[in-house]
């Protein structure tokens, strides 16, 4: 059974940092794209960052570019999101997601096949 389990969320003051982790089990995702999405109350789930399987290449939403860094450790089958200079508007549930198709790191949530349960990130002003 494939599982993605996020950890590392919490409460932080504006300007602070958090590092999210997403541990995958049940299959290897080293050759496919993965991403971090977030969903704030009353809003749709949105793409935050993505990383390709090979290269890898990284992609960011404009709202997080320069503050967030996505990375992966294929030996540990784990995805990370380093979040710096956090703002109150970054408050959301953060989800990791994985594809089964080799090509592409799309920004649409419906292009991903596996999802974690989410971890809450709250940034206080």
């Amino acid at each position: 059974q494939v599982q993605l389990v996020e950890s590392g969320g919490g409460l932080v003051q504006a300007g602070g940092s958090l590092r999210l982790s997403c541990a995958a089990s049940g299959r290897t995702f080293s050759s496919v794209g993965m991403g971090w999405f977030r969903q704030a109350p009353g809003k749709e789930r949105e793409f935050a960052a993505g990383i390709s399987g090979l290269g890898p290449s990284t992609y960011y939403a404009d709202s997080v570019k320069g503050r967030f860094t996505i990375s992966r450790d294929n030996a540990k089958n784990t995805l990370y999101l380093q979040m710096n200079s956090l703002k109150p508007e970054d408050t959301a549930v953060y989800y990791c997601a994985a594809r089964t198709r080799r090509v592409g790191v799309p920004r649409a949530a419906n292009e991903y096949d596996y999802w974690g349960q989410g971890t809450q990130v709250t940034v206080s002003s």
Side-chain angles (χ1 to χ4, degrees):
Q1 182 180 358
V2 175
Q3 278 193 312
L4 300 177
V5 179
E6 301 98 335
S7 60
L11 173 63
V12 65
Q13 288 189 332
S17 298
L18 284 173
R19 188 193 195 205
L20 305 184
S21 299
C22 172
S25 61
R27 64 160 287 171
T28 299
F29 292 100
S30 58
S31 62
V32 298
M34 298 185 73
W36 287 98
F37 288 75
R38 65 186 185 180
Q39 188 167 18
K43 295 189 176 182
E44 292 188 355
R45 192 170 299 189
E46 65 174 8
F47 174 85
I51 187 167
S52 63
L54 301 178
S57 297
T58 57
Y59 307 87
Y60 298 96
D62 289 343
S63 58
V64 308
K65 198 173 296 182
R67 300 187 298 120
F68 290 10
T69 302
I70 188 171
S71 62
R72 64 194 304 164
D73 184 335
N74 287 335
K76 295 182 178 179
N77 216 19
T78 300
L79 181 72
Y80 302 99
L81 185 67
Q82 178 66 44
M83 305 186 295
N84 298 330
S85 302
L86 282 161
K87 304 175 181 180
E89 51 264 43
D90 294 318
T91 295
V93 178
Y94 283 71
Y95 300 88
C96 73
R99 289 168 57 81
T100 55
R101 286 151 284 182
R102 287 183 174 270
V103 179
V105 185
R107 296 174 183 248
N110 61 8
E111 295 285 345
Y112 290 78
D113 304 292
Y114 297 105
W115 291 86
Q117 83 289 350
T119 185
Q120 176 70 47
V121 171
T122 303
V123 184
S124 64
S125 57

